[in-house]
Amino acid sequence: MQGILTSLILVPLVGSLGVAFLPEERRDLIRLTSMLTAILTFVLSLVMLGNFHGGSFHFQMVEKATWVERLGISYHLGVDGISVWLIVLTTFLMIISIWFSFYVQEKVKAYMALLLLLQAAMLGFFLSLDLILFFIFFELTLVPMYFLINIWGGQRRAYAAVKFFIYTAAGSILMLVGMIVLAWIHSQQYGMMTFDLVQIQSSIAKGEFWAGYMQLQAVIFWFFLIAFLVKVPMFPFHTWLPDAHVEAPTAGSVILAGVLLKMGTFGILRFVLPLFPDVIGQFVVPVMILAVVGILYGGIVAAVQPDVKKLVAYSSVAHMGFVMLGIFSLTHTGIQGGAIQQLNHGVSTGALFLLIGLIYERRHTRLFKDFGGLKAQMPIFATLFLIVMLSSVGLPGTNGFIGEFLALWGAFQAGMAGFNGLNVLIPAIAATGVIVAAVYLLIMFKDMFYGPNDNPENQRLKDLKPWEIAMMAPLIVLIFWGGLYPNTFFQKMDASLSAARLMAINEPGQRPMWSDLTHEIDGKGALVQVQPRKTIKEFVPIREISPAKMNFDRNETVLQAEVASQ
Amino acid sequence: MNPIFNQVWWIIGLPLIGFLIQCFFGKRVIEKLGAATGKRVMGSIAVLAIAGAFGLGLAITQALAQLPFDQRFVQVTLFDWIKIYSLSIPFEVRIDPLSMTMVLVITGIGSLIHLYATGYMAEEPDYPRFFAYLNLFVAFMLVLVMGNNLAMLFIGWEGVGLCSYLLIGFWYKDFANSLAANKAFIVNRIGDVGLALGMFLIVYLLASNQTALGINTTRWLSYDVIFEYLPKVLAEQPMMATAIAICLFIGACGKSAQFPLYLWLPDAMAGPTPVSALIHAATMVTAGVVLLNRMQVVFAASPIASAIVVIVGLFTAVFAALIAFGQTDIKKVLAYSTVSQLGLMFVACGAGYYWVGMFHVITHAFFKALLFLGSGAVIHAMAHEQDMRHYGNLRKYIPITFWSMFVGFIAIAGVPLTSGWFSKEEIIHDAIFSKLAVLGGVNIGNAAGWLTFGAALLTAIYMTRMMMLTFAGPQERWKLIPAAEGHGHPDHHHDDHHAHDHAHHEDHGPDVHGFFYSDEEMATKNEVHDDHHHHELDETHTPREVPVSMWMPLVILAVFSLGAGVWLKGYKQFPTLPKDTLEKWLEPVAYEAAKAHGGKHHSPVPYEHLIAPLGYWIGVAGIVIGVLWYMRGLPKSEGWDMSKWNPFRAAAREQFGFDRSMVDAGVEGGGVLGRFMWRVIDNRVVDGAVNGIGLLVAGFSKGFGALQTGLARTYALMMLLGTAGILGWLMYATGIFGGRG
């Protein structure tokens, strides 16, 4: 499948350019072209998914070419379990976004071109294995989003767009500095610069990279982390999000909530866990505290919002807090939960923004005081809203439950064991966040759908049209699929996430290496050495390098302590 | 293994299929066949789905009973729900006496209540939606009791909470109903968090001792794993048993409406009466007792937690009974009575007699479902008026309802030989003799057992009050309500339609696709079924007996309310009947250590000779007191509550101020906190800091005069300054300039 990753980036890019050259007045042609591009990209991503083998943590379908040799910059793409579902989510949500954007009437050409450009940038972001390439795509996502908010946004769009831009860019500057320092350290240790993630990670895993630079590691850790915390967003870096969401057009909000926020958590899984193994443990507690604050703070503030879109925006702060809670528990269950929660949040919150968009196109208001009693007026709309709302509440059987449950589970295990100095109170307090979630989401549903339908403006509203239902249907299916059979998703992610975790918590020499194809994660989560092989699909273990260490087994801990003391 | 066990999934599947049929075809069928026929068809499908599950449940119970005594446990796995390296949670069913008992209660009483609902909801335009929710509820409830792991229990636990939420808010146009629905869901969620934390604790204990215990599975939450390994850990760490038990009990308090989380249940009466009978009396609210039965292994290991369970249960039982005296709404009386009876079940469980808790669950399911359905029949006959102050002398008009309700009444009051008498007597007796719930040397169980006599007395009195006010007396108080001018529909909407013209239309922007707004006719059509009350209660009203679909379930339930005690327990005067049927049936699920606290041979306790006569006569005494008290009915001219008991009644009506203070604290306090966080912290502090930095940079740029204003330039400058500053600091900090080496 050589070249499929490049084509995943190129197809939307070419589509974007193609749309830009179409005449503005041929709106239907523009829409058709964009839609076809999005569908083609989605199909490509499905092909990629079909060829992806979940049993290995290594990058697959890798493409590599030298770019700037002197500085060690290369064009390096690859996909692993951490990125594979995010890529599919991106291409999938883009179809829905473009579909919904048929509502857009102004400057259709620019709108569609920007959406496709955004898609190319997002896919490039998830696929990059070179730090500079990654940074370029990271910055490139800002530009289309900035214009989408600034041109097609609401009343305070300029403020929101600039705020969005400055926040993210300020964070990314820190990250750029961090990347340059990484390359510089590499040149100090090995005599040549490189921005290649795989190469840097390998030397970190061996314990050579940071030797002599331990203090710097802590600094660079925060540089990367803050860039991603802004993106997630975590309290107190979150205030750009409500403004951006409220002002952004619907498709923008869907992409923002569905994909752009995941760039933060993805970045943490891709960079922060593997690259800073020696210091991450000491910063787990502050990050977890921020996550808990975000969960409760986002929820409580959401409950008093007068605008439904702002409510959902604040709920994102709370939900992404659970993702962070799971990942930074550094337990296997927690990281799995955090990773699946990212996907589920993308689906559920994306669907919520779409539904809000549907009612906004009808009523041109999103204030709760303008609604009430819509259930009788728009029964199908109300039913869809109910399902999506319940998924956001985290009801078992919907996808929202799986992520929250496992993230809390992992955080609780880590807290009980005192892993990295965690206290069990942190996850216990975080768990009360699910009560708050019920509060604000039920208030939202009550204010919109229950009570008498006494606003004359609402009494003539029609229910959803078939094409609108068709647009929502795949999201509803995903909500139940994710809730009833999440194994579909776990099967592709498990090995890569386990490896990322072991990269962060194991001692040098026992850390998995992306560059070393003789390392694999076996069926129990242990790191094993395997025989040399031709394909990535099968491996024959030779010996265990590191046990699974899933559950803070007291006996295992005692054994390790004994080994260490000898 | 008997092949029928593999069909067990149909027990859950049938109600689920029923739900889907109602969802996708209900409306269409009713439109096609017309309201009357369509409703009959859809109603029958709903009833058949549950009745089918009941039939299958009976067959499987039969098959289970044929197994040898100590092998009555069958596990059927469907597929892996969550499977990752560190854990595995399959969809698996546990067929054992406890789960099958609950299956029979749920589907048996469930099908009767479904049948009743086909009559009760006959005039409801949203008929399929009601039965969809009701079927879905049964499916979730079955998942709760049949699952073989705590995660499946949790699915059912939250699922029934959802259905409860949907059904309380079924008549959503009344804002009060949706508030009650929200309250139920949110208060339940508090309990759910407790339950989840309890589960996490169990997982931690098992997983952290994996090697020591030699556990070679990752199904941490499956009952078979928990039952086998958890006792070994708890033996070493008894405090953990208390911690887990308290967490789980918080969950049980939420679902089973124990103090202080009982708050939602009285409000839940906003739902249609069949819902109150099925969900808020017979099945869902007993989930907490089922949980305690399942997790005996934890509770029996912790005397402290058991004592807490007893104390909370007893306090709730008395507290709710007192509140019931202040209620004038017939359903509210029954709601508080349910809370009170649930308290008694927890007294039994806390005392270590888990099967007795189940015994009361079963008998209570019969007589409380009966009482609720009876109250529904009364409400139906009284034009949806629920206030007992407008009732009186109804036994003359609706005799079948009266007599069946009378049976339920003597059962709950504890008249000897009725089912309620058997289970209540068993609770009191066993609590007095129990030795589990000991806190600081005091046998809490023993004390609670004696005090439970008081709760039983109160129960008999307030139930007599309810029956007297509703059915007795010469007064027919609804005749005091003057007839209104023309039975009006609240049709305030209709004027609005005419006022609404196309000028409004333009306000929300051009309707570009031309399909957002409908024309006037459609709007009116949507508003047609605005009101389900067809006429008001006034002096012209004549109560009529309910149709057969409604009184039939009443009669069947009455039979069981009378006979279930003799059937399940046996009585010494009837030597031919089997004895202790239920206790023996449930023995395989009883945990060994829990059995040690019970047993047949009690050691003597003080005043032992008083137990039997008190148990015999306390219910009857309560009825006598109640009859004497309420014989005169209500004073006509003075209105309600003008006796010397008025202050007490007023306080009881307001739940002694508890509900108000909790809700105010939650809603008002939460609102203030939320607005503070939003307007002050978010908008001033955090944004203020950021905007301040921005302004500072902008000020610089103005000061230098080299840059024009403009955010992009500001940003560029900020980036430059920031980068330079960070690089400088970095170089200093890492000693690139050789400063620190």
Side-chain angles (χ1 to χ4, degrees), chain B residues 11 45 282 339 349 355 513 701:
Chain B
I11 295 184
I45 291 174
V339 175
C349 290
W355 77 270
H513 302 271
S701 62

Side-chain angles (χ1 to χ4, degrees), chain A residues 168-180:
Chain A
T168 319
S172 68
I173 292 302
L174 289 178
M175 187 170 66
L176 179 61
V177 173
M179 287 170 170
I180 294 168

Side-chain angles (χ1 to χ4, degrees), chain A residues 62-95:
Chain A
V62 175
E63 295 168 30
K64 190 169 181 183
T66 311
W67 186 6
V68 185
E69 201 167 8
R70 203 168 57 83
L71 294 176
I73 303 172
S74 57
Y75 176 81
H76 193 176
L77 303 180
V79 56
D80 73 345
I82 301 175
S83 58
V84 64
W85 287 111
L86 286 167
I87 290 163
V88 178
L89 179 73
T90 307
T91 54
F92 168 72
L93 283 181
M94 190 51 78
I95 294 183

